[in-house]
C-alpha cells in the first residue's frame, strides 16, 4: 500500500486555491469540497489526507510531524522560525510586510519608536539590524487602528493592495520584505516519503513555469 | 538479575541495546561529573544544540553549569593524538531547553566518541555503529550522510563575509533552493556559482547516484577530496546497510565540524534522533592535536513514538482486607511473584490499572474473582 501523505492547508482563500492546484496534479480528495464540518479528509486512492488548520498553526503541525507537508505564508515562517524544510515558493498569496504609519511618523530618531504588530519577531529583528530602539506592542488584529488612535507611532504588518491603509490615511513608509506562500515539509517525513514529496514539488514546479509562460504570451 | 524486556519502556530498552552494541566494539563507558565550568560552554556556545544553560555559583564564587552536553567535556579531557585512540561511550542526563518548550528539561543522552587518529576504518566503524543504533531503534530508519568539505569548498570559491555564508548555509540546511539562489544573487555571486550553490539543496539520494551528480559541481581539491572519501566509505559499507543515503544539504556549524556529518531518523519520530560527525575543528579550538568523530542519540525523542504498551499493567491484582494476616499475604505475594508474575497487593480494586487476574486473599486462601486473559 502506498503511504499516506498528510497535508496541512491554511483555512481561507489561500488554502482553497492551493487545494484546487493539488487537485489538478492528481491529489484530489472530493470530500473536501462538500460543505461539512469535518476537519480531516482522506482519499485512499490518491494516498492523501488533508486537514484545515489556522494559518499560523500550519508550521506547528508540520514541525511536530502530524502533517508531512503544509502550505504556509513566509510571514509565519519568518516569525516562528520552525525547524522544517522549505521546499518551494508557490508564488501565490503574494503581498509584502511593510512599516506603515502617518506620513511623518518616522521623523525624529531621537526617541523610542512605538511599533504595533502581529509579528514581534520580524519587527524586532528588522529594527535591531537598523540599531533603532523600539517598543513592541503586540496586537492580534485591526493593527491599523493603533497609529490612528495613538497607541503606536507605526505598524509592521502585511500589505496586500494598500487599500485599508489609504482609507485610514496611512502610508507605507518602509518595505521589509516580499511574502508568498511556501511549501514546507517535516524533516523526518521527508526522509520516509521522499518520492511522494519530491514528485509533488516537481509537478508544482512544472505547473508554475507553465503559468508563467501563459502570462508572457 | 533477570530482566524481562517487556518490563522496560522503549527508551530503557533502547539504552540497554545500544550499550550492548558499543561494548561489543570495544568502546568503554565514560562517566562524567554533573557540573562543568560555565566558561567551557560560553566559549563554545554554537556547538550546543540550544544555547541556554543552567548556571550557579559554587562556594568559591566560580560559575558552574549543569551539563547541557557531554561531547565538550570528553573532548576537553582527551589525551594527545600520539597515544592509542580513545573509544568511549556515555549514557548521561543533560539539561537543555528544547526550542519549542521554553523550559529546561533533563534529557537522557547516549553517545559515542572516537578520539585519536581517525582513519578510513575509524570513520566507517563509527558510521556503521550509528547505523546499527538506528536499526536497533526501529526497522524503518534512515541515516543521512554528508561531508562538510563539499559545501565548504564551494563557499571557498565565493567572496563572502562570515555572516553572508551563515545565511546561505542556513538556507541550504532547510533545502530552500529558491531563497538560496536569491541570496547568492543579492550577494553578487556569478551565475554559475549561484546555480551550483542552490543545486546543493536538492543533491540527495543513493550514494552512487548522488556522488555522480555532485561531481558536476567540483570546483577545487577540497570538494573532490570529500567526494573521494564518501566513495571509499560507500565501498566499505554498501553491503551491510540499506538505510544509508547521501544528502549534501545536511550541514552543521563549520567552526566545529569539518568532515563527515550524519543525521538519523526513524519512522514515527518527527525529529532527528541521532546526530554526529567529524569534529577536528572543535579539538583544535580546545588546543588538542587529536582528531575526533562521534555521535549522540536523543533517546528522549523515543518517548514521542506511539505510546502503546502491549498487554496488561499487571498479571495479578491481589485484594485483601482486615481479616488477612500480613504474614499470609506476604507468603501469597512471594509465591505469585516467584512464577515471574507482576503482582500488586492493595485493599481496593483499581479502575486505573489493567490486570490479567483479580485475586482475593480470603480466610480460605486465594480465590479467583476475575480472569481477563
Amino acid at each position: 500500500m502506498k503511504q499516506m501523505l498528510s497535508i496541512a492547508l491554511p483555512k481561507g482563500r489561500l488554502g482553497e486555491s492551493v487545494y484546487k492546484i493539488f487537485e489538478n496534479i492528481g491529489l484530489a480528495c472530493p470530500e473536501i469540497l462538500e460543505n461539512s464540518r469535518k476537519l480531516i479528509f482522506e482519499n485512499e486512492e490518491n494516498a492523501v489526507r488533508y486537514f484545515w488548520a489556522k494559518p499560523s498553526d500550519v508550521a506547528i503541525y508540520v514541525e511536530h510531524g502530524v502533517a508531512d507537508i503544509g502550505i504556509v505564508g513566509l510571514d509565519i515562517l519568518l516569525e516562528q522560525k520552525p525547524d522544517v524544510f522549505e521546499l518551494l515558493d508557490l508564488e501565490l498569496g503574494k503581498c509584502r510586510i511593510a512599516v506603515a504609519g502617518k506620513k511623518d511618523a518616522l521623523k525624529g530618531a531621537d526617541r523610542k519608536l512605538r511599533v504595533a504588530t502581529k509579528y514581534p519577531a520580524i519587527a524586532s529583528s528588522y529594527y535591531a539590524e537598523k540599531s533603532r530602539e523600539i517598543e513592541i506592542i503586540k496586537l492580534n488584529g485591526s493593527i491599523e487602528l493603533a497609529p490612528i488612535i495613538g497607541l503606536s507611532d507605526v505598524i509592521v504588518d502585511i500589505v496586500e493592495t494598500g487599500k485599508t491603509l489609504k482609507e485610514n490615511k496611512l502610508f507605507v513608509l518602509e518595505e521589509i520584505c516580499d511574502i508568498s506562500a511556501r511549501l514546507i515539509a517535516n524533516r523526518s517525513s521527508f526522509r520516509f516519503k521522499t518520492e511522494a514529496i519530491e514528485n509533488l514539488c516537481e509537478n508544482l514546479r512544472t505547473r508554475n513555469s507553465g503559468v508563467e509562460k501563459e502570462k508572457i504570451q | 538479575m533477570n530482566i524481562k524486556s517487556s518490563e522496560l519502556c522503549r527508551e530503557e530498552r533502547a539504552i540497554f541495546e545500544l550499550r550492548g552494541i558499543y561494548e561489543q566494539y570495544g568502546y568503554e563507558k565514560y562517566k562524567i561529573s554533573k557540573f562543568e565550568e560555565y566558561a567551557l560552554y560560553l566559549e563554545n556556545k554554537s556547538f550546543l544544540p540550544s544555547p541556554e544553560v543552567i548556571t550557579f555559583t559554587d562556594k568559591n564564587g566560580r560559575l558552574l553549569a549543569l551539563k547541557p552536553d557531554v561531547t565538550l567535556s570528553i573532548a576537553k579531557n582527551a589525551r594527545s593524538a600520539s597515544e592509542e585512540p580513545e573509544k568511549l561511550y556515555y549514557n548521561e542526563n543533560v539539561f537543555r531547553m528544547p526550542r519549542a518548550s521554553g523550559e529546561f528539561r533533563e534529557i537522557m543522552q547516549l553517545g559515542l566518541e572516537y578520539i585519536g587518529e581517525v582513519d578510513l576504518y575509524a570513520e566507517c566503524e563509527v558510521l556503521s555503529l550509528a547505523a546499527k543504533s538506528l536499526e536497533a531503534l526501529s526497522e524503518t530508519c534512515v541515516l543521512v550522510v554528508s561531508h562538510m568539505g563539499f559545501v565548504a569548498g564551494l563557499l571557498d570559491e565565493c567572496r563572502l563575509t562570515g555572516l553572508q555564508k551563515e545565511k546561505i548555509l542556513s538556507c541550504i540546511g532547510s533545502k530552500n533552493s529558491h531563497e538560496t539562489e536569491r541570496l547568492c544573487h543579492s550577494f553578487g555571486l556569478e551565475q554559475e556559482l549561484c546555480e551550483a550553490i542552490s543545486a546543493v539543496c536538492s543533491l540527495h539520494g543513493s550514494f552512487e547516484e548522488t556522488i555522480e551528480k555532485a561531481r558536476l559541481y567540483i570546483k577545487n581539491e577540497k570538494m573532490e577530496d570529500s567526494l573521494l572519501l564518501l566513495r571509499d566509505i560507500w565501498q566499505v559499507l554498501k553491503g551491510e546497510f540499506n538505510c544509508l543515503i547521501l544528502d549534501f544539504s545536511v550541514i552543521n556549524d563549520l567552526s566545529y565540524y569539518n568532515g563527515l556529518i550524519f543525521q538519523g531518523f526513524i519512522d514515527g519520530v518527527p525529529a532527528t534522533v541521532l546526530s554526529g560527525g567529524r569534529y577536528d575543528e572543535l579539538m583544535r579550538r580546545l588546543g588538542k592535536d587529536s582528531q575526533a568523530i562521534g555521535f549522540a542519540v536523543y533517546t528522549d525523542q523515543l518517548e514521542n513514538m506511539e505510546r502503546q504498551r502491549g498487554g496488561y499493567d499487571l498479571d495479578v491484582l491481589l485484594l485483601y482486607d482486615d481479616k488477612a494476616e500480613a504474614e499470609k499475604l506476604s507468603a501469597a505475594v512471594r509465591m505469585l511473584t516467584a512464577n515471574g508474575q507482576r503482582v500488586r497487593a492493595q485493599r481496593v480494586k483499581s479502575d486505573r490499572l489493567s490486570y490479567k487476574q483479580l485475586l482475593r486473599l480470603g480466610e480460605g486462601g486465594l480465590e479467583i474473582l476475575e480472569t481477563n486473559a
Side-chain angles (χ1 to χ4, degrees):
Chain A
M1 203 196 86
K2 273 212 288 187
Q3 269 184 311
M4 267 293 174
L5 195 64
S6 293
I7 305 173
L9 292 176
K11 263 185 235 166
R13 228 171 4 160
L14 174 65
E16 281 158 27
S17 49
V18 170
Y19 171 72
K20 294 247 163 66
I21 297 173
F22 280 21
E23 193 175 37
N24 282 332
I25 57 170
L27 294 175
C29 181
E31 215 187 338
I32 209 168
L33 298 173
E34 290 163 23
N35 215 348
S36 75
R37 283 176 177 263
K38 266 175 80 173
L39 293 170
I40 302 180
F41 306 90
E42 253 182 43
N43 185 325
E44 290 206 7
E45 202 181 316
N46 293 332
V48 278
R49 177 189 301 131
Y50 289 97
F51 56 86
W52 296 110
K54 190 174 162 144
S56 54
D57 288 344
V58 168
I60 300 171
Y61 287 104
V62 174
E63 189 174 13
H64 287 258
V66 284
D68 299 317
I69 60 172
I71 304 299
V72 62
L74 180 62
D75 53 325
I76 311 278
L77 294 179
L78 291 173
E79 181 66 25
Q80 300 178 351
K81 300 214 176 305
D83 188 21
V84 293
F85 285 138
E86 185 187 326
L87 298 175
L88 200 67
D89 183 351
L90 291 172
E91 303 189 18
L92 288 170
K94 283 188 179 176
C95 55
R96 57 215 158 116
I97 292 190
V99 180
K102 289 183 186 161
K103 211 161 200 169
D104 51 359
L106 287 176
K107 274 186 193 155
D110 58 336
R111 57 195 169 79
K112 191 170 66 184
L113 191 68
R114 290 172 307 158
V115 183
T117 183
K118 281 201 281 209
Y119 303 105
I122 296 176
S124 44
S125 83
Y126 175 72
Y127 282 105
E129 224 163 274
K130 300 186 108 196
S131 309
R132 176 93 203 247
E133 193 191 356
I134 59 165
E135 181 191 336
I136 299 244
I137 299 162
K138 164 93 166 73
L139 295 179
N140 297 302
S142 305
I143 318 286
E144 295 84 5
L145 194 57
I148 301 172
I149 58 170
L151 177 62
S152 74
D153 301 313
V154 293
I155 60 173
V156 167
D157 203 18
I158 285 213
V159 180
E160 226 166 316
T161 55
K163 218 173 138 197
T164 324
L165 291 180
K166 216 176 215 170
E167 280 172 14
N168 291 296
K169 299 203 180 82
L170 297 175
F171 298 87
V172 170
L173 303 170
E174 282 165 347
E175 292 194 5
I176 298 183
C177 64
D178 290 323
I179 299 295
S180 58
R182 308 292 163 103
L183 181 109
I184 56 172
N186 176 273
R187 284 179 181 266
S188 179
S189 302
F190 182 83
R191 299 300 173 192
F192 296 100
K193 298 176 182 173
T194 316
E195 210 189 319
I197 296 176
E198 290 221 292
N199 283 345
L200 169 63
C201 288
E202 198 43 54
N203 287 336
L204 290 173
R205 236 176 250 132
T206 328
R207 191 196 156 275
N208 263 2
S209 55
V211 172
E212 285 290 305
K213 265 184 207 152
E214 255 172 52
K215 268 187 202 162
I216 292 166
Q217 284 163 5
Chain B
M1 191 171 57
N2 189 6
I3 297 170
K4 280 192 291 183
S5 71
S6 63
E7 285 161 11
L8 301 172
C9 74
R10 189 155 201 148
E11 203 179 333
E12 290 165 326
R13 200 158 52 220
I15 290 169
F16 268 117
E17 218 164 308
L18 299 189
R19 286 180 55 172
I21 297 174
Y22 307 152
E23 292 271 351
Q24 218 186 350
Y25 281 74
Y27 284 71
E28 294 167 273
K29 180 140 197 276
Y30 189 87
K31 181 84 197 152
I32 54 166
S33 69
K34 282 260 177 296
F35 319 130
E36 185 75 70
E37 289 225 26
Y38 176 63
L40 178 66
Y41 305 115
L42 187 66
E43 282 157 20
N44 296 292
K45 215 156 210 174
S46 49
F47 184 76
L48 303 175
S50 57
E52 298 85 0
V53 180
I54 304 179
T55 56
F56 60 98
T57 40
D58 73 355
K59 64 176 186 197
N60 300 322
R62 281 191 314 164
L63 192 57
L64 297 182
L66 284 176
K67 289 210 158 77
D69 167 86
V70 184
T71 307
L72 276 170
S73 305
I74 292 182
K76 191 187 76 172
N77 297 312
R79 291 194 294 255
S80 143
S82 54
E83 296 172 57
E84 64 174 308
E86 294 185 84
K87 296 191 179 198
L88 307 166
Y89 76 89
Y90 58 84
N91 176 15
E92 299 278 348
N93 284 321
V94 294
F95 298 85
R96 275 189 196 162
M97 190 183 285
R99 209 183 60 84
S101 77
E103 266 174 64
F104 279 103
R105 281 192 57 200
E106 184 174 11
I107 293 168
M108 171 64 79
Q109 197 180 320
L110 194 66
L112 177 144
E113 314 288 349
Y114 181 113
I115 299 176
E117 204 188 307
V118 178
D119 51 19
L120 179 62
Y121 171 73
E123 294 203 279
C124 292
E125 181 176 278
V126 172
L127 208 53
S128 71
L129 285 171
K132 274 178 201 280
S133 307
L134 284 177
E135 286 180 345
L137 296 178
S138 165
E139 283 164 17
T140 335
C141 58
V142 173
L143 185 63
V144 191
V145 183
S146 178
H147 193 294
M148 284 304 283
F150 190 77
V151 175
L154 195 53
L155 290 181
D156 282 350
E157 297 294 311
C158 315
R159 272 194 216 195
L160 294 172
T161 64
L163 195 67
Q164 289 172 327
K165 279 188 189 174
E166 225 170 83
K167 278 188 176 165
I168 290 182
L169 282 173
S170 116
C171 271
I172 295 177
S174 55
K175 287 195 170 290
N176 187 343
S177 55
H178 45 277
E179 192 67 22
T180 308
E181 196 164 355
R182 201 189 60 76
L183 272 178
C184 290
H185 280 294
S186 76
F187 295 154
L189 299 180
E190 300 150 37
Q191 181 63 23
E192 197 205 344
L193 277 172
C194 293
E195 276 169 22
I197 294 174
S198 61
V200 171
C201 296
S202 42
L203 265 182
H204 62 94
S206 71
F207 265 67
E208 275 145 355
E209 278 177 31
T210 312
I211 291 177
E212 222 31 67
K213 275 192 257 171
R215 217 175 275 286
L216 298 173
Y217 303 105
I218 292 180
K219 296 269 182 293
N220 50 33
E221 217 175 312
K222 198 170 183 177
M223 295 177 82
E224 185 153 17
D225 287 349
S226 70
L227 292 187
L228 288 177
L229 178 76
L230 287 168
R231 197 200 57 196
D232 291 345
I233 287 174
W234 181 240
Q235 284 303 325
V236 179
L237 295 179
K238 67 177 172 189
E240 206 182 344
F241 299 103
N242 300 322
C243 62
L244 294 178
I245 67 158
L246 198 55
D247 186 339
F248 286 103
S249 78
V250 171
I251 46 162
N252 214 325
D253 198 319
L254 269 171
S255 42
Y256 299 96
Y257 293 94
N258 60 318
L260 211 59
I261 51 168
F262 43 93
Q263 288 177 347
F265 296 91
I266 58 181
D267 200 10
V269 177
T272 322
V273 294
L274 181 150
S275 157
R278 176 90 181 252
Y279 55 91
D280 299 355
E281 287 302 312
L282 172 68
M283 302 306 285
R284 206 177 48 76
R285 287 174 72 132
L286 292 171
K288 304 283 173 181
D289 57 353
S290 36
Q291 302 167 318
I293 181 169
F295 61 84
V297 182
Y298 306 115
T299 49
D300 60 308
Q301 290 294 345
L302 304 180
E303 270 179 57
N304 298 337
M305 288 182 81
E306 60 261 66
R307 292 160 194 253
Q308 48 183 356
R309 261 191 66 166
Y312 297 90
D313 298 319
L314 296 169
D315 291 309
V316 176
L317 182 64
L318 177 58
L319 301 180
Y320 65 95
D321 52 29
D322 288 339
K323 281 178 230 151
E325 294 163 34
E327 199 182 318
K328 275 193 184 154
L329 182 61
S330 158
V333 171
R334 211 178 313 136
M335 181 199 68
L336 290 166
T337 51
N339 308 335
Q341 304 195 89
R342 286 168 296 174
V343 184
R344 174 165 164 140
Q346 62 184 36
R347 281 169 180 267
V348 289
K349 230 173 118 170
S350 170
D351 42 13
R352 192 174 54 84
L353 297 165
S354 64
Y355 41 81
K356 276 191 197 157
Q357 257 191 339
L358 184 66
L359 303 185
R360 187 170 64 200
L361 185 68
E363 281 169 69
L366 287 175
E367 37 184 313
I368 300 177
L369 299 182
E370 238 179 83
T371 307
N372 291 321

